[in-house]
Each structure stands twice: as structure tokens, then as C-alpha cells.
Amino acid sequence: MAPSFDNESSLFNFVVRDGNGVKGIVDSGISKVPRAYIQPPSEQIDKKNATKCEIAPIDLSRLDGPHHDEVVNQIVRAAETLGFFQVVNHGVPVELLESLKRTVHDFFALPPERKAVYRKEVSPSPLVKYGTSFVPEKERALEWKDYISMAYTNDAEALQQWPIECRDVALQYLKTSHEMVKKLIEALVGNLGVELDDSKIDSFIGKKMVNMNFYPSCPNPELTVGVGRHSDISTLTILLQDGIGGLYVKVPEDTDAENKGEWVEIPPIPGALVINIGDMFQVLSNGRYKSAEHRVRTTSTKSRVSVPILLSPEATQKIAPLPQAVEKDGVVRYREFVFSDYMNSFFGNAHDGKKSLEFAKFDSA
């Protein structure tokens, strides 16, 4: 029997410690959102006031021909302004993307005990973590999301340790996206004046993780968030979103856009992937590329799914602005740090916009 969801302690145990997740609450037949999930009014997402981002997706097939420079400019411009863009003809088969979405629904439809074995405290593999919200222990209001996170080391360990229900399709997604990722990194880093080889690319994206996010349908979506305001810790994030929508990005204040400071929705485009700049790319580019502050709205109609690939430096990697970027700017905007220290800071706090980047500023050392 489900506990009283008005009692925050018993709700926390049911959702987090017992591994039932938000899906367990929804499956119990609730008619209203439990108090622990109600966000402060300042964090609630007003769907009516948001505009849709009307920027056309970038056709990556045009990189391999006479339009190469034009496409690179489109990628760079997007990274310098919104920090978010969509790509088509990216080389990842559309049938695979559809299979991924079905797999997420199937995985989260499993009985709670099948998913709960991967909770951080008990997971049989250090590569796999099942959880809910972001940092539930530190949040004033919980986020309406369950997830499974799969870290990649090599193919053999992925096939051996990732959940059998989703390992094959998740691994295929990661591997078929590699060529696209390489082209994006080459375009963005090349624009900073850096010559690249494979080992240099690996220093930016040596740590790879595939997440499967599940946002159950919500009786009061206007009171909750699927994910709160944040920027990604990664260098680059590749995101598959389904057709439901609800991904919002904040137009940075320090751009020349007319709608700076406003939230815009990234509308789903069939067959497209969403690319967003992460905190590490903002640091490496000395602030030229903007890690995008974004959040996710819940919906009352259907459960929403998304599948991000987070591409980051290895934990032991030292991170600092690239000398070529500093030379162009004439000023160093971020200090050097070890990526694992940034990770500890990032995952030790609740989501709070782009506050995570303060760790990289000189006065935080």
C-alpha cells in the first residue's frame, strides 16, 4: 500500500529510498500533486507566456560539400548565442531514435523492484544508476522525473553491466552518434583556432554517459517542473526528445538577441537531435560559447521521455580556457581546475540556474 504522500518523510522513503520514483506515485492513482513537488511560484513554468524557438534545424549533411563553411558558421553562431540548436541528417538512423523512445517507455514500465536494483546505494555496477529528481536530499521541491544513467567505459563492460532491457539500443545510439559529435567538436574548436587530433578530441569528451529520462504524466503540470533551471556539466550534450515538447531554454542576457532573458521552447522536430553547449565548453572557449540554461515542463496528457548523451572530460582532466581563445580575447575568464572537483560541486547542490559555473571563476578558488 502506498504511504500518505502528504507526509514528506514517508513520501521521500517511498519515492527515493525504496526506488518507486515519481512513476510509483502516479501509478498509485493520485489526483493532485503531493506538496513536496510543488515548486515556488518563481520556478513554475507558464506555458502561455513562452515563445517557440523558430530557428531552423542545421542540416549536417551540408558539412561535406561546398556549403561547409556556411554550416560551420551556423553551428558557431548558435553556440555563441543561445547555446542550443537542432540538427538533421546527423547520421543516427531515425528508426533507432524511434526504438530508443519505445525502450525508455518499456524500461520505466517495469515493476519497481526491477529498476530499484540500480539505485546508487545498491547498484551491482558503478556504471549504472537509477534515480529520481536531481539531488533529492538537497531540494526544496522535488523534480517530476525518474531516470536511469549509464556510464560508458568500453563496449564489453556496457554489454555486461548496463540493464539488459536497454543496453543494446543505448550503446548503438552512442556509437552511431560518434561521427556527428566529432564533426561538431571540430567545427566549434576549429573556430577557436585549435588544431585537433583524436587525442585532443578525447580530452574534451573522454567521459560518455547515456541517460534515459522519464517524466510521468502529471495532474498539475503548472505547479511542478520536470527538471529545474540548470546548465549541463558536460562539454556537449546530444538530446533526443519525443514529440510532446516542454523543453525551455533561457536566452542569455549577454547576447544581442532582442528577447534576451526570456524563456523559449525548443519545439520537437521529427528525426532531429537537440545539441546543447555545456559548462565545460563555456570554460574551454573562455566564455565565447554559452552553456544553455534550460528546464523541462511536465504535461498532464502523456508521459514524456528524453535520451541525452552527456560528453564530458575525464574526471582527472585539468580544465582551463584554451590558450587560443584567451589570446583572441586578451583576458582569462576562468581559472584552471580538475574536472572531478567541478563534478563534486555540481552534484552536491540542487539545480539553481547557471550558479554551477561560479566554481570556475577566480574568486571561488
Side-chain angles (χ1 to χ4, degrees):
M1 182 174 145
S4 162
F5 293 133
D6 290 331
N7 180 307
E8 297 204 3
S9 174
S10 64
L11 177 139
F12 188 90
N13 287 337
F14 177 81
V15 173
V16 180
R17 297 218 172 103
D18 299 340
N20 289 287
V22 184
K23 182 148 193 314
I25 299 178
V26 173
D27 288 349
S28 74
I30 57 162
S31 58
K32 63 175 186 174
V33 166
R35 191 169 58 240
Y37 286 91
I38 297 177
Q39 295 287 330
S42 60
E43 300 297 332
Q44 294 170 10
I45 301 173
D46 185 352
K47 189 178 179 182
K48 298 184 203 72
N49 283 347
T51 55
K52 278 199 164 41
C53 178
E54 303 294 352
I55 301 170
I58 297 171
D59 183 350
L60 292 187
S61 68
R62 299 173 78 239
L63 271 173
D64 301 324
H67 303 288
H68 176 271
D69 291 352
E70 179 193 335
V71 178
V72 168
N73 287 339
Q74 290 175 334
I75 293 166
V76 167
R77 172 71 181 158
E80 290 177 340
T81 51
L82 193 59
F84 250 84
F85 54 99
Q86 300 200 64
V87 295
V88 293
N89 295 324
H90 39 62
V92 183
V94 173
E95 313 82 67
L96 175 60
L97 300 181
E98 293 305 312
S99 177
L100 269 166
K101 289 183 266 189
R102 287 193 299 273
T103 299
V104 183
H105 281 287
D106 291 347
F107 179 81
F108 285 95
L110 291 170
E113 59 274 14
R114 291 274 294 280
K115 296 172 285 190
V117 296
Y118 293 108
R119 284 185 304 116
K120 184 172 70 172
E121 298 79 9
V122 298
S123 179
S125 167
L127 305 181
V128 183
K129 177 188 167 191
Y130 164 78
T132 190
S133 197
F134 179 59
V135 189
E137 300 80 7
K138 301 219 173 171
E139 291 164 343
R140 286 175 298 178
L142 297 172
E143 299 178 352
W144 197 263
K145 178 186 91 166
D146 299 331
Y147 66 89
I148 184 92
S149 174
M150 295 166 281
Y152 177 82
T153 47
N154 56 57
D155 289 7
E157 288 193 347
L159 290 169
Q160 186 181 17
Q161 299 182 39
W162 288 7
I164 191 169
E165 296 86 358
C166 47
R167 67 184 184 195
D168 294 330
V169 71
L171 185 58
Q172 202 180 346
Y173 176 43
L174 182 63
K175 290 170 79 70
T176 55
S177 66
H178 178 73
E179 203 55 41
M180 170 192 67
V181 168
K182 192 175 169 187
K183 288 177 180 177
L184 292 172
I185 295 285
E186 284 172 348
L188 290 164
V189 178
N191 176 65
L192 299 172
V194 179
E195 297 238 349
L196 278 179
D197 56 32
D198 285 351
S199 67
K200 189 80 172 170
I201 290 177
D202 275 348
S203 72
F204 300 141
I205 57 164
K207 181 181 169 68
K208 300 174 177 69
M209 186 167 289
V210 182
N211 287 1
M212 292 185 167
N213 298 327
F214 186 76
Y215 305 91
S217 58
C218 176
N220 310 102
E222 70 285 355
L223 300 177
T224 59
V225 296
V227 182
R229 298 177 297 108
H230 72 290
S231 54
D232 287 352
I233 192 173
S234 59
T235 301
L236 207 62
T237 299
I238 314 300
L239 177 77
L240 168 65
Q241 62 168 340
D242 64 15
I244 290 172
L247 173 62
Y248 293 83
V249 180
K250 190 175 186 181
V251 182
E253 299 279 3
D254 56 348
T255 65
D256 54 9
E258 286 179 20
N259 56 344
K260 58 186 177 185
E262 292 180 14
W263 289 92
V264 295
E265 184 174 7
I266 305 295
I269 296 173
L273 288 167
V274 180
I275 312 295
N276 72 275
I277 302 296
D279 287 353
M280 291 309 100
F281 227 148
Q282 179 157 333
V283 172
L284 289 164
S285 69
N286 202 36
R288 180 167 305 188
Y289 300 148
K290 309 289 188 262
S291 67
E293 183 177 349
H294 55 289
R295 59 187 183 177
V296 173
R297 189 180 188 274
T298 58
T299 173
S300 60
T301 49
K302 288 180 180 174
S303 297
R304 178 183 184 270
V305 301
S306 68
V307 191
I309 299 174
L310 293 123
L311 302 158
S312 309
E314 292 282 8
T316 54
Q317 183 81 29
K318 284 186 176 177
I319 305 297
L322 293 162
Q324 296 88 338
V326 173
E327 193 179 330
K328 278 187 180 181
D329 297 341
V331 61
V332 186
R333 294 195 169 92
Y334 301 100
R335 65 185 179 91
E336 184 180 77
F337 54 87
V338 177
F339 184 56
S340 59
D341 293 336
Y342 194 96
M343 287 169 66
N344 291 338
S345 171
F346 186 91
F347 291 110
N349 296 286
H351 283 145
D352 190 7
K354 290 187 67 168
K355 203 170 180 182
S356 53
L357 261 172
E358 289 179 10
F359 177 86
K361 294 180 179 171
F362 282 101
D363 55 5
S364 72

